[in-house]
């Protein structure tokens, strides 16, 4: 193969990989990343806003710095990677390692995990949340953009140890970074970039701080809640108060690390722009340090047009209820006055009147923002005849007329299996064994009733002393419940599961099919306490 053909192939592969098609595997993480406030806010940044705070502690003085804790969490999880065996790294194993001496100050880790709990589910791993936490904390503190890729898989038990401690000698420290795959220069930059936030707690490191109070919290630099290079310039000026550089010799680990290359890396980091770009690079190295079995996605970037289907179910035997919203990225375009969904029937035909007009959502002006991105939401809530809708294009007028076809496929609606939310419920009555009764009802299109239908619920299994539950996926077969009606194209299926009460805040998925042909509706929250019956 000659050079130009090789180049052609490489470019071709890149452009295919970057074309986003909805629904995408990382849609939810993209929401968590960018919808920080306003309409549909996920509020992930609440845990580190403002940068100087410890929001979980409520009002009052706290010698805690949540943004620093999120950054330290990513480092302590990643640094135990073993590049030879391809094991460890950013895999959430830190969850099971918090009682190790090398993880002293573990309340910062467990509180970080605790904040992540409501975001964790079968498609959003703890390890991805830790990585996204690095992006979020650094951004919130005015630092650079740390590119975020998704796809990390969670460990289910503790891994190797090997986090350097303040007393670890410099050769062993270098060796531990090297084992994880990092050079000496990367090590120096990682420590300098990490220690621009936060400090050392007296209760955890009384010998370093010289005071065993939890409120004694000397900081690494004089601008602790700011992602800047003052930790570097104060070190080089010889007036640093960094407890790991100007403290007792035995624990002066930052001092030993910083001079490993005769200050060359530190001197380059004394330039603020170099500091920012280097920190982005080495923090990406940290969060992309994953077990060799993991393949990370392309970097997550904001999606231009993204529908969300909230309800899509059989209302009566021949009518579908369809409810949701369309998110349009308005960072670089004017907000359209409305969005039109031009829909196609089950044969792929579009008629002149087959349009749903979605006006701007009223709540919070229908606007969502996060980290420099801006979105406008458009809501729809309508009835459509069974068979009349299978996919849609989105049309609107912003700076100019735009039609979004989802790469020519249309935005697809799953019509093979529908989530009958009104007929489903989580009955909150203890069965005597600490369970409530979760009932899932689905409408299965009659051409697919010969195929298996089931639901999968994520059961949270809690362990004493571990901050987060293990996610245990339980599969429940669903059986024919009722005809949807004599003329209906659908049949109703039902299944029930005794859900442990402490797992009530979970989600389930519906499936119909087999082999390569499985239709699904995913991430359904069990809503109401009583199921509605069905009368055809
Ligand atoms: C030789 C390597 C390192 C050693 C020995 C070390 C040691 C320490 C120690 C003793 C603390 C105090 C913890 C506490 O009292 O809560 C600390 C805090 C911290 N470390 Fe490191 N560290 C190292 C590298 C790193 C790296 C590479 C990062 C990030 C990339 C990092 C991020 C942090 C942060 C953000 C804090 C502040 C935590 C807080 O304020 O709660 N450290 N480090
Ligand atoms: C230890 O730190 C606490 C909290 O900052 C402070 O109130 C106390 O005076 C300190 N004790 C000593 C001996 O410095
Ligand atoms: C590195 O910088 C520190 C702080 O200014 C200084 O004390 C030390 O002598 C420097 N080391 C070298 C090898 O230049
Ligand atoms: C440290 O020294 C530098 C250079 O002399 C000076 O600009 C800076 O204000 C000093 N910082 C502190 C905290 O004393
Ligand atoms: C759970 O609910 C379903 C549907 O209402 C019902 O058939 C089943 O008997 C219930 N199971 C228990 C254990 O109550």
């Amino acid at each position: 193969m000659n050079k130009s053909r090789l180049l052609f192939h490489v470019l071709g592969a890149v452009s295919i990989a970057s074309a986003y098609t909805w629904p995408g595997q990382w849609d939810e993480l993209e929401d968590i990343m960018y919808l920080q406030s306003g309409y549909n806010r996920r509020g992930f940044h609440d845990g580190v806003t403002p940068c100087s705070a410890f929001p979980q502690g409520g009002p009052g003085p706290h010698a805690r710095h949540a943004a620093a804790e999120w950054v330290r969490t990513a480092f302590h999880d990643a640094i135990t990677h073993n590049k030879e065996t391809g094991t460890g790294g950013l895999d959430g194993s830190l969850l099971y390692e918090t009682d190790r001496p090398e993880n002293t100050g573990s309340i910062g880790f467990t509180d970080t995990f605790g904040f992540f709990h409501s975001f964790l589910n079968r498609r959003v791993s703890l390890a991805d949340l830790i990585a996204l936490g690095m992006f979020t904390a650094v951004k919130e503190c005015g630092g650079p953009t740390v590119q975020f890729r998704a796809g990390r898989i969670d460990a289910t038990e503790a891994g190797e140890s090997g986090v350097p401690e303040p007393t670890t000698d410099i050769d062993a420290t270098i060796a531990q970074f090297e084992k994880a795959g990092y050079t000496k220069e990367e090590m120096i930059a990682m420590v300098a970039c990490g220690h621009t936030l936060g400090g050392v707690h007296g209760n955890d490191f009384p010998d370093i701080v010289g005071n065993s109070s939890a409120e004694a919290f000397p900081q690494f630099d004089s601008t602790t809640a700011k992602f800047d290079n003052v930790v570097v310039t104060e070190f080089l000026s010889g007036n640093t108060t960094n407890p790991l550089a100007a403290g007792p010799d035995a624990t002066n680990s930052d001092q030993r690390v910083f001079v490993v290359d005769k200050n060359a890396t530190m001197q380059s980091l004394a330039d603020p722009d170099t500091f920012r770009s280097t920190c982005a690079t080495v923090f990406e190295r940290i969060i992309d340090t994953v077990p060799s079995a993991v393949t990370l996605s392309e970097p997550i970037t904001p999606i231009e047009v993204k529908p969300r289907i909230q309800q899509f179910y059989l209302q009566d035997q021949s009518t579908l209820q369809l409810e949701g919203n369309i998110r349009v990225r308005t960072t670089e375009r004017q907000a359209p006055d409305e969005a039109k969904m031009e829909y196609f029937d089950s044969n792929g035909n579009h008629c002149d009147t087959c349009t749903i007009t979605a006006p701007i959502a009223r709540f919070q002006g229908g606007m969502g923002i996060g980290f420099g991105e801006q979105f406008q939401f458009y809501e729809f809530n309508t009835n459509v005849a069974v068979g009349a809708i299978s996919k849609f294009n989105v049309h609107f007028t912003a700076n100019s007329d735009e039609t979004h076809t989802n790469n020519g496929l249309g935005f697809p609606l799953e019509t093979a299996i529908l989530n009958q939310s009104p007929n489903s419920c989580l009955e909150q009555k203890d069965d005597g064994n600490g369970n409530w009764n979760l009932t899932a009802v689905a409408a299965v299109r009659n051409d697919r009733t010969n195929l298996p239908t089931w639901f999968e619920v994520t059961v949270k299994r809690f362990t004493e002393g571990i901050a987060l539950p293990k996610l245990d996926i339980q599969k429940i077969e669903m059986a024919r419940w009722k005809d949807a009606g004599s003329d209906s194209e659908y049949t109703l299926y039902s299944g029930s599961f005794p859900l442990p009460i402490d797992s009530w805040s979970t989600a389930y998925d519906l499936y119909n099919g087999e082999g390569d042909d499985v239709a699904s509706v995913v991430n359904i929250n069990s809503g109401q306490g009583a199921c509605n019956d069905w009368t055809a």
Side-chain angles (χ1 to χ4, degrees):
M1 198 182 282
N2 67 34
K3 253 193 193 157
S4 62
R5 279 196 61 187
L6 184 67
L7 185 65
F8 175 80
H9 277 259
V10 168
L11 289 174
V14 167
S15 67
I16 288 164
S18 60
Y20 168 80
T21 301
W22 183 87
Q25 194 178 358
W26 311 116
D27 284 353
E28 192 177 347
L29 274 166
E30 192 257 7
D31 271 356
I32 297 172
M33 186 170 180
Y34 292 113
L35 298 181
Q36 298 301 345
S37 40
Y39 186 90
N40 259 5
R41 75 192 295 273
R42 301 299 304 268
F44 189 65
H45 85 152
D46 292 7
V48 290
T49 304
C51 166
S52 59
F54 184 67
Q56 298 176 70
H62 294 282
R64 298 278 298 274
H65 185 183
E69 293 177 1
W70 287 22
V71 169
R72 185 174 180 240
T73 298
F75 171 62
H76 279 234
D77 198 23
I79 187 66
T80 54
H81 178 64
N82 182 330
K83 70 169 189 219
E84 298 303 328
T85 58
T87 53
L90 215 110
D91 62 0
S93 66
L94 182 60
L95 180 63
Y96 307 101
E97 300 163 354
T98 49
D99 55 357
R100 293 179 179 171
E102 65 189 35
N103 292 322
T104 297
S106 63
I107 191 171
F109 306 134
T110 53
D111 282 350
T112 299
F113 297 144
F115 183 84
F116 292 170
H117 188 170
S118 65
F119 298 91
L120 176 73
N121 62 48
R122 156 174 206 189
R123 290 175 187 80
V124 176
S125 67
L126 170 62
D128 274 350
L129 289 170
I130 293 170
L132 192 54
M134 178 74 110
F135 162 88
T136 304
V138 172
K139 266 288 205 212
E140 201 58 48
C141 295
T145 299
V146 179
Q147 215 165 50
F148 169 67
R149 300 167 187 268
R152 292 166 196 78
I153 298 170
D154 288 344
T156 54
E157 57 186 20
E160 274 185 62
S161 55
V163 186
E165 296 180 57
T167 48
T168 308
D169 74 57
I170 190 62
D171 291 338
T173 299
I174 292 169
Q176 279 169 337
F177 275 84
E178 196 163 280
K179 186 176 176 188
Y182 308 134
T183 65
K184 289 189 188 98
E185 289 72 24
E186 285 175 325
M187 171 187 74
I188 298 163
M190 284 173 181
V191 174
C193 295
H195 290 176
T196 184
L197 301 176
V200 181
H201 291 90
N203 56 329
D204 297 317
F205 296 94
D207 294 344
I208 298 176
V209 177
N211 183 331
S212 62
S213 164
E215 299 291 321
F217 184 38
Q219 325 227 297
F220 291 124
D221 66 27
S222 58
T223 59
T224 182
K226 222 171 128 199
F227 198 94
D228 61 13
N229 70 342
V230 170
V231 64
V232 174
T233 53
E234 288 180 347
F235 175 77
L236 291 175
S237 306
N239 61 1
T240 184
T241 55
N242 177 345
L244 299 179
D249 271 352
T251 54
N252 263 345
S253 51
D254 279 12
Q255 196 276 331
R256 289 192 289 274
V257 165
F258 291 160
V259 301
V260 156
D261 64 357
K262 303 198 163 39
N263 294 339
T265 298
M266 289 298 273
Q267 262 143 17
S268 76
L269 296 175
D271 171 57
D273 292 336
T274 305
F275 181 81
R276 284 178 76 83
S277 63
T278 305
C279 292
T281 304
V282 295
F283 280 7
E284 275 158 36
R285 292 273 290 129
I286 288 175
I287 65 175
D288 289 355
T289 298
V290 292
S292 54
V294 173
T295 305
L296 295 175
S297 73
E298 291 292 304
I300 304 291
T301 54
I303 294 163
E304 297 295 326
V305 173
K306 186 179 180 185
R308 174 201 294 259
I309 308 299
Q310 281 161 315
Q311 300 285 354
F312 189 45
Y313 61 82
L314 212 53
Q315 181 165 293
D316 59 45
Q317 63 167 317
S318 54
T319 313
L320 295 162
Q321 165 69 15
L322 175 62
E323 215 176 306
N325 59 62
I326 293 171
R327 196 194 82 181
V328 176
R329 180 169 176 254
T330 51
T331 315
E332 285 157 6
R333 62 163 69 77
Q334 263 171 28
D337 293 334
E338 60 186 22
K340 287 189 186 302
M341 300 156 71
E342 299 168 344
Y343 61 88
F344 298 78
D345 68 16
S346 50
N347 297 316
N349 297 319
H350 173 65
C351 74
D352 286 347
T353 57
C354 294
T355 296
I356 298 164
T357 299
I360 287 184
R362 293 229 186 111
F363 180 70
Q364 304 233 326
M367 226 164 69
I369 56 171
F371 298 128
E373 293 296 336
Q374 208 169 312
F375 307 93
Q376 187 70 51
F377 288 84
Y378 301 85
E379 287 178 346
F380 52 89
N381 183 345
T382 190
N383 289 326
V384 187
V386 166
I389 191 165
S390 65
K391 61 181 182 179
F392 57 89
N393 290 335
V394 174
H395 180 96
F396 54 73
T397 308
N399 309 43
S400 61
D401 250 22
E402 295 183 35
T403 302
H404 292 262
T405 65
N406 200 32
N407 295 322
L409 301 169
F411 295 93
L413 285 167
E414 182 54 77
T415 57
I417 182 165
L418 309 173
N419 166 31
Q420 291 302 113
S421 51
N423 312 107
S424 309
C425 59
L426 178 59
E427 202 192 350
Q428 303 186 358
K429 203 178 102 212
D430 194 332
D431 68 354
N433 294 314
N435 304 309
W436 286 344
N437 188 10
L438 175 65
T439 297
V441 173
V444 177
R445 213 174 51 216
N446 288 340
D447 60 298
R448 298 185 57 101
T449 50
N450 60 321
L451 298 167
T453 298
W454 73 95
F455 74 98
E456 290 177 11
V457 58
T458 303
V459 181
K460 296 181 175 177
R461 306 282 184 201
F462 293 86
T463 307
E464 183 72 38
I466 305 290
L468 292 175
K470 280 206 170 99
L471 305 184
D472 169 22
I473 312 297
Q474 292 285 319
K475 178 174 175 177
I476 300 101
E477 277 173 30
M478 296 169 76
R480 194 180 161 281
W481 181 48
K482 286 184 176 193
D483 272 341
S486 50
D487 297 330
S488 184
E489 289 175 29
Y490 284 90
T491 302
L492 300 173
Y493 278 66
S494 173
S496 292
F497 177 77
L499 183 69
I501 295 171
D502 60 4
S503 187
W504 66 271
S505 68
T506 189
Y508 63 93
D509 309 324
L510 296 169
Y511 298 92
N512 165 269
E514 56 193 5
D516 293 339
D517 174 29
V518 176
S520 62
V521 185
V522 303
N523 219 12
I524 302 162
N525 293 307
S526 46
Q528 57 195 345
C531 297
N532 296 336
D533 200 1
W534 176 270
T535 39

